[in-house]
Amino acid sequence: MWKISRKTLLQGQTSTSLSSNTKRKAKIAKATVRWSSAKADTTAVPQIPSNADVVIIGGGSAGCHTLYHLAKRGVKAVLLERAKLTAGTTWHTAGLIWRLRPNDVDIELLNNSRNMLMELEADTGYDPGWIQNGGIFIAHTEKRLDEYRRLATVGNALGIENHILGPEETQKLFPLLDPKSFIGALYSPGDGVIDPAMLCTALTRGAVKNGGKVIENCNVTELLVEDTGKGKQLIGVATSYGNIKTKTVVNTTGVWGRDLVHKYGSHLPLIPMKHSYIVSETIPGVRGIPNIRDHDYSTYFRIQGDAICMGGYEPNPILLEPVPDDFHFGLYDLDWTVFDVHLNGAMKLCPSYGDYGVKSTICGPESFTPDHKPLMGPDTQVNGVFHNCGFNSAGMMFGGGCGEQTALWLINGKPDLPMFSFDLRRFTKAQNRNTQWIRERSHESYAKNYSMVFKYDQPLAGRNFQKDPLHEDMLAQYAFMEEKQGWERPGFFMKHKAEVLPYDWYGSYGHKRHNDRAYEDALEGDLKYAEFSEHHKLIGEEALACRNAAVIFNMSYFCKLIMEGPDAQKAADWLFSANTNRDTSKTVYTCVLNNTGGVEADVTVSRLDSGTGAVHDPKFTGQGYYIVAGGASAYYTYATLLAEIREKGFNVSLRDVTADLGVISIQGPHSRDILQRIIDCDLSNENLPPNGTQVTSIKCPTANGKQVGLRLLRVSFVGELGYELHVPKEHCSAVYQSLLAVGKPLGVRNAGYRALYSLSSEKGYHLWSFDLRPDDTPIEAGLGFTCRKNGDYKGKSAIERQRKEGIKKRLVYLTLNEQVPIWGLEGVYRNGEAVGFLRRAEYGYALDKSIGQAYVSRTDGGFINEKYITEGTYEVDILGKRYKAECHLRSPFDPESKRVMGIY
């Protein structure tokens, strides 16, 4: 341990060796607040405008970036800061800029931030303090190095220079490293650091030059909101010095983000925590060398002149209650019992680091969220309020990219990039209101921030938040449960029980770790890069049972909406790209588009006759529609449709009945024979063709022959003969158990979402937010058939323009002959040139091949056609090695879709 005096910690007046062994003691509950001598100047009375196009509240990195990008585009925007610029959390940030992350949208945002920093001085005349000294990720295990090889792969596909290095090569870049303490590294020479004060000065000066306004020492006391027929509408803001009329506010208040809007019924899943780093004495030879991030040792080094700033993410961060409003330029006493883990890692990596003293410590509040991603986009309760906050101590990295996307969102009604993973509508209202859920998930996300990222990893915190009607049935069948948008769903079915237990906080805060590790042990089997999951064979058995016999999928968490009212047909015509004005016996697959033709949702829509009033057969006046969408984006779909309905003024209601109805899907060659034994309708092709629907009932032999009313849809997400039974929640178990019983002689079995996603990818179906996103049009995705020629709908002009002019990217399917796993983000090469990356990747068990979907484009940015695609030779980059791939315009599995029609 290291001897550091309390006086040194608080004032940084003397230096103390890091290498002494005296025990440190501190109390978490009683952190001393350190106040800077810099006080807010309240003597001058600000002159505020009477109106503004946009009011930005909060003068940190997020607010300054948003102002800059709005002003640059001619928007009359005003930034209000209740103290001084950077006074909240921005001023004490470490300011690191890393560009490689396991997500293509993150990489684009980070690269946009970095490119803006490089151009800012030329644009504004002010140096933003950008230093490009490069960044190094350290690997201690082969698995971690495989993760970095994956990052290198997608980085290469997106044009981010990077290099995989050995220990000796890495030490040449950072001489303090012990090359025997690690096995390799990922080097990104374009990374660097930024000075927060210089950056915010450059941004605001540039914004003012373009007509923006910055007003300091001006507190927003209230949002002015009125109730209208379209919900709550922002009409202005009240400040200490008067009101400003505006219809648009951007909340960039960081750790105070939730406090600004909660009184208006809006709840943000955000929690403040203490986040710390220490600054060393002068260390000879470090100036200009790269920054270091050692994920395995939970340590980063940020080069600051001749010193090193060192910090990381610990397993037991200190969670805070709301930060006081007047906490300007404030810090807390550093708690060394929390911070020790970083020192221990730093000393192992760089033994000589311990020879130098600590000049100062930084411990300030930062805002954190349940998935360690920012909260952006339109507020769900107050029209006109937008958010750009909750940056999880990464506001300097994401600030430029997210500020630009926020500006574009306000101006164009949508961002340029697919921002679903940043959009606050990725969480439900129930999640946002549940403090315990937010605390648990935010803690786990913080503690695991440096953990390896795996496609099938699952959270342990905040589980069993929402259970569908078949939850207990699934557990009884030994389902391995996954979590999506708060719901528990079956991933696959095991031979033994492995249930999720209450969160144990990874042993922190006095909690004990669970002795029962069955769930975590099963989860560990999925955490692979270079080899298939340990559950690969088990999932394959489920998938092949669907292809060869029949399986039951529990799809109850799927989004289910009822739209009804006098304008229901008008609303459907505008909202949906396909013709939904069909007979009530038809179900239509369609897209919901934005103004540029991008897909905001893909759904099935059934026109309804007014019925008995049961949840599956609603009674209404006027016209009605039943809308079904994927569960992982359920609230986003609902909020998107509702916002457009209100914007257009349609006289309809939109009700979410997801929790009231279960969905039991039976799929496979034997599905009709099984279902026909207990259902009260004819399942022949003539009576119920593909995409047919009707209200019927089922006789449940396992429930004494009870008759259960339900809505039946003949649809498939896996490319087989199959049916969905939409059942009132109280009857789901009886229906499910009856299907299992009557289907047993014909080989029916359970299957989970892992098999479902494999099957859908193998068939060439789409998964929204992966191979179908708001930056993809139906024409590019091979879904032109969903876009009708007659009548107007949102996004139609963009679709017709593409039909006339052509497209610059096209979705293709790539299969590998070699038995290697793929996970997504692998680079795709055509004739040796990078032309895309895998958006989605699965193993096709019927094809007995890995299969992936990618959007291919030309390296010269020109229009693309089938000839360009089919004449190329393709490779997929997997962990740094390129494998030959066959490219298909359509999936090679059942290309004529005979199986869906029952032709086997």
Side-chain angles (χ1 to χ4, degrees):
M1 308 295 278
W2 297 269
K3 183 178 179 181
I4 300 178
S5 71
R6 181 176 178 82
K7 184 176 181 181
T8 300
L9 296 183
L10 293 177
Q11 299 175 353
Q13 293 178 350
T14 62
S15 298
T16 304
S17 173
L18 289 175
S19 56
S20 65
N21 295 311
T22 302
K23 180 75 173 179
R24 290 186 307 271
K25 295 182 180 180
K27 291 185 178 180
I28 294 175
K30 296 183 178 180
T32 303
V33 175
R34 290 187 283 160
W35 297 94
S36 165
S37 59
K39 299 294 184 180
D41 179 11
T42 58
T43 57
V45 176
Q47 298 297 309
I48 65 170
S50 61
N51 61 82
D53 293 339
V54 178
V55 172
I56 300 161
I57 306 175
S61 168
C64 293
H65 276 109
T66 303
L67 177 70
Y68 171 79
H69 284 290
L70 284 170
K72 193 173 181 179
R73 291 162 174 82
V75 176
K76 181 184 175 184
V78 178
L79 185 152
L80 304 179
E81 164 54 47
R82 67 183 170 200
K84 292 290 186 180
L85 294 180
T86 77
T89 61
T90 294
W91 74 274
H92 60 67
T93 181
L96 288 158
I97 308 291
W98 311 95
R99 290 190 296 162
L100 291 174
R101 290 169 75 103
N103 180 288
D104 66 291
V105 176
D106 286 22
I107 290 174
E108 289 196 63
L109 288 168
L110 294 169
N111 200 42
N112 290 348
S113 289
R114 183 255 198 182
N115 289 343
M116 184 211 71
L117 293 172
M118 297 179 69
E119 299 167 358
L120 196 56
E121 184 171 10
D123 185 47
T124 67
Y126 291 85
D127 179 6
W130 164 247
I131 299 173
Q132 183 175 313
N133 58 329
I136 297 172
F137 289 173
I138 298 293
H140 295 273
T141 66
E142 195 63 33
K143 185 179 283 190
R144 179 68 82 175
L145 197 55
D146 278 343
E147 180 183 42
Y148 294 163
R149 292 184 181 111
R150 279 178 49 75
L151 293 181
T153 292
V154 69
N156 290 333
L158 294 173
I160 308 296
E161 182 188 357
N162 66 86
H163 309 276
I164 297 291
L165 304 178
E168 288 73 22
E169 295 174 293
T170 310
Q171 189 193 33
K172 290 178 181 178
L173 295 171
F174 199 105
L176 273 65
L177 295 175
D178 176 7
K180 296 179 181 179
S181 69
F182 63 102
I183 68 168
L186 173 63
Y187 174 46
S188 176
D191 295 351
V193 296
I194 189 72
D195 181 279
M198 294 174 70
L199 171 62
C200 289
T201 297
L203 289 169
T204 52
R205 297 292 174 86
V208 169
K209 184 178 70 173
N210 287 306
K213 290 184 181 296
V214 177
I215 303 176
E216 296 177 299
N217 305 312
C218 183
N219 186 37
V220 173
T221 59
E222 190 177 5
L223 301 181
L224 303 177
V225 176
E226 65 178 15
D227 288 322
T228 69
K230 298 181 180 180
K232 297 176 183 177
Q233 174 65 51
L234 178 84
I235 59 172
V237 298
T239 79
S240 306
Y241 303 99
N243 296 349
I244 303 176
K245 293 180 180 179
T246 186
K247 291 186 176 181
T248 306
V249 155
V250 184
N251 173 16
T252 60
T253 58
V255 294
W256 297 276
R258 63 182 182 181
D259 305 333
L260 179 69
V261 296
H262 78 274
K263 68 182 289 185
Y264 309 101
S266 183
H267 300 271
L268 297 184
L270 179 155
I271 188 169
M273 300 185 199
K274 294 181 181 179
H275 193 55
S276 310
Y277 63 89
I278 61 176
V279 184
S280 75
E281 284 184 317
T282 295
I283 301 178
V286 302
R287 181 178 290 271
I289 66 176
N291 305 304
I292 295 284
R293 181 179 267 185
D294 188 326
H295 296 93
D296 294 317
Y297 284 174
S298 188
T299 300
Y300 71 76
F301 288 161
R302 187 262 207 211
I303 304 305
Q304 181 172 298
D306 293 316
I308 292 179
C309 300
M310 189 277 289
Y313 289 80
E314 54 279 343
N316 56 337
I318 300 174
L319 281 62
L320 296 166
E321 294 303 318
V323 178
D325 290 347
D326 60 349
F327 197 84
H328 311 315
F329 299 105
L331 291 174
Y332 303 101
D333 187 7
L334 181 69
D335 190 318
W336 288 95
T337 63
V338 174
F339 196 79
D340 262 352
V341 62
H342 311 308
L343 282 169
N344 294 332
M347 295 288 289
K348 291 178 185 177
L349 184 64
C350 299
S352 63
Y353 174 69
D355 297 334
Y356 300 90
V358 176
K359 183 167 62 177
S360 60
T361 67
I362 303 293
C363 179
E366 290 282 359
S367 56
F368 294 93
T369 65
D371 58 0
H372 221 74
K373 286 289 187 73
L375 302 173
M376 296 179 63
D379 189 85
T380 58
Q381 302 301 308
V382 183
N383 187 35
V385 174
F386 279 73
H387 299 280
N388 186 20
C389 59
F391 276 86
N392 303 278
S393 196
M396 301 304 288
M397 280 195 287
F398 281 111
C402 289
E404 181 179 40
Q405 293 303 309
T406 298
L408 295 171
W409 220 324
L410 297 175
I411 296 167
N412 301 327
K414 61 174 287 293
D416 274 4
L417 295 175
M419 298 291 287
F420 175 67
S421 62
F422 289 66
D423 195 307
L424 62 91
R425 292 169 293 181
R426 67 190 185 272
F427 300 116
T428 67
K429 288 194 288 186
Q431 289 172 311
N432 293 345
R433 288 185 173 130
N434 192 297
T435 302
Q436 184 63 17
W437 182 85
I438 296 169
R439 288 170 65 86
E440 286 189 12
R441 287 292 292 269
S442 297
H443 167 264
E444 184 178 39
S445 292
Y446 181 103
K448 290 184 66 177
N449 184 44
Y450 277 4
S451 297
M452 285 178 264
V453 177
F454 298 95
K455 179 178 179 179
Y456 296 115
D457 200 3
Q458 287 292 309
L460 301 180
R463 296 298 296 271
N464 293 314
F465 182 78
Q466 189 94 34
K467 302 175 184 178
D468 69 43
L470 290 174
H471 184 76
E472 296 303 322
D473 296 87
M474 297 295 99
L475 295 182
Q477 296 287 329
Y478 297 152
F480 179 85
M481 303 301 286
E482 302 175 343
E483 184 272 343
K484 284 292 181 182
Q485 206 170 69
W487 289 87
E488 296 290 321
R489 70 180 195 185
F492 51 90
F493 291 82
M494 303 180 68
K495 307 299 183 184
H496 57 83
K497 182 171 71 172
E499 293 187 27
V500 181
L501 300 176
Y503 189 46
D504 63 12
W505 299 83
Y506 292 91
S508 296
Y509 315 117
H511 294 270
K512 290 185 177 180
R513 293 238 61 193
H514 294 301
N515 292 325
D516 181 354
R517 302 293 294 271
Y519 187 86
E520 292 183 56
D521 289 343
L523 186 60
E524 188 69 27
D526 265 333
L527 309 185
K528 310 286 185 181
Y529 293 124
E531 54 191 330
F532 289 106
S533 163
E534 292 177 10
H535 311 298
H536 180 72
K537 182 179 178 182
L538 191 64
I539 295 164
E541 291 172 358
E542 295 179 9
L544 291 175
C546 183
R547 295 286 186 229
N548 299 321
V551 299
I552 296 173
F553 295 108
N554 174 19
M555 299 169 64
S556 296
Y557 96 116
F558 262 41
C559 174
K560 299 170 284 288
L561 309 172
I562 301 289
M563 185 173 70
E564 60 185 72
D567 290 345
Q569 190 59 61
K570 288 182 182 178
D573 289 343
W574 175 252
L575 292 170
F576 305 121
S577 61
N579 176 21
T580 57
N581 191 8
R582 308 287 295 277
D583 188 273
T584 54
S585 64
K586 301 291 185 183
T587 293
V588 178
Y589 173 68
T590 181
C591 295
V592 177
L593 307 182
N594 54 43
N595 288 330
T596 57
V599 181
E600 296 288 343
D602 64 328
V603 301
T604 60
V605 180
S606 308
R607 194 163 69 87
L608 303 177
D609 288 324
S610 182
T612 62
V615 64
H616 66 282
D617 188 26
K619 187 176 183 178
F620 50 84
T621 301
Q623 185 60 271
Y625 279 96
Y626 184 48
I627 304 162
V628 182
S633 55
Y635 187 66
Y636 181 87
T637 300
Y638 168 78
T640 298
L641 293 175
L642 183 62
E644 193 63 25
I645 287 169
R646 289 177 171 175
E647 175 68 23
K648 300 294 289 186
F650 293 125
N651 185 11
V652 296
S653 66
L654 186 69
R655 290 189 292 118
D656 187 343
V657 295
T658 298
D660 300 322
L661 282 167
V663 179
I664 303 168
S665 176
I666 181 167
Q667 302 284 327
H670 296 163
S671 61
R672 177 156 46 197
D673 292 341
I674 295 169
L675 185 57
Q676 190 67 81
R677 297 182 180 191
I678 54 175
I679 202 158
D680 292 334
C681 68
D682 177 13
L683 297 180
S684 66
N685 288 334
E686 293 74 23
N687 188 59
L688 191 70
N691 298 314
T693 183
Q694 59 180 275
V695 174
T696 184
S697 63
I698 205 167
K699 188 175 184 178
C700 298
T702 61
N704 299 319
K706 177 172 61 177
Q707 290 288 130
V708 173
L710 54 85
R711 175 169 292 277
L712 179 67
L713 282 71
R714 184 176 167 183
V715 295
S716 177
F717 191 52
V718 296
E720 297 294 329
L721 170 67
Y723 307 85
E724 287 182 7
L725 287 66
H726 294 237
V727 185
K729 62 182 180 181
E730 62 270 21
H731 302 306
C732 284
S733 182
V735 172
Y736 166 73
Q737 294 293 346
S738 296
L739 282 173
L740 275 182
V742 301
K744 188 175 181 179
L746 291 176
V748 76
R749 63 170 293 168
N750 292 298
Y753 273 81
R754 293 282 290 280
L756 184 139
Y757 284 162
S758 164
L759 292 161
S760 72
S761 178
E762 182 176 57
K763 178 63 184 84
Y765 291 161
H766 294 79
L767 181 59
W768 192 84
S769 85
F770 288 87
D771 59 326
L772 191 64
R773 307 189 306 198
D775 58 335
D776 307 316
T777 72
I779 307 300
E780 296 163 345
L783 293 174
F785 67 89
T786 66
C787 299
R788 66 186 189 272
K789 298 292 182 67
N790 298 324
D792 197 15
Y793 56 86
K794 187 167 186 176
K796 184 180 181 180
S797 59
I799 298 301
E800 294 305 315
R801 183 166 56 252
Q802 283 194 336
R803 278 179 167 148
K804 180 180 179 181
E805 297 176 358
I807 54 179
K808 294 188 176 182
K809 67 178 184 181
R810 170 71 185 266
L811 183 68
V812 300
Y813 302 84
L814 295 151
T815 56
L816 302 174
N817 291 325
E818 295 190 57
Q819 292 292 307
V820 290
I822 51 177
W823 311 104
L825 294 181
E826 290 84 359
V828 175
Y829 292 80
R830 177 189 179 275
N831 297 344
E833 294 183 313
V835 292
F837 60 91
L838 295 186
R839 289 270 200 90
R840 187 180 175 195
E842 298 285 350
Y843 190 84
Y845 290 94
L847 293 172
D848 199 21
K849 295 178 179 181
S850 290
I851 182 169
Q853 285 100 307
Y855 283 85
V856 170
S857 57
R858 296 176 62 100
T859 54
D860 62 6
F863 290 99
I864 197 170
N865 54 31
E866 291 188 6
K867 181 179 179 182
Y868 173 84
I869 293 172
T870 57
E871 289 184 353
T873 299
Y874 290 85
E875 296 171 301
V876 175
D877 184 352
I878 304 173
L879 299 179
K881 179 181 177 181
R882 295 186 189 179
Y883 292 81
K884 291 183 179 179
E886 299 295 326
C887 184
H888 314 269
L889 292 169
R890 306 182 60 175
S891 168
F893 178 79
D894 190 22
E896 297 180 6
S897 295
K898 291 182 178 180
R899 301 170 76 95
V900 172
M901 296 182 286
I903 302 172
Y904 287 94

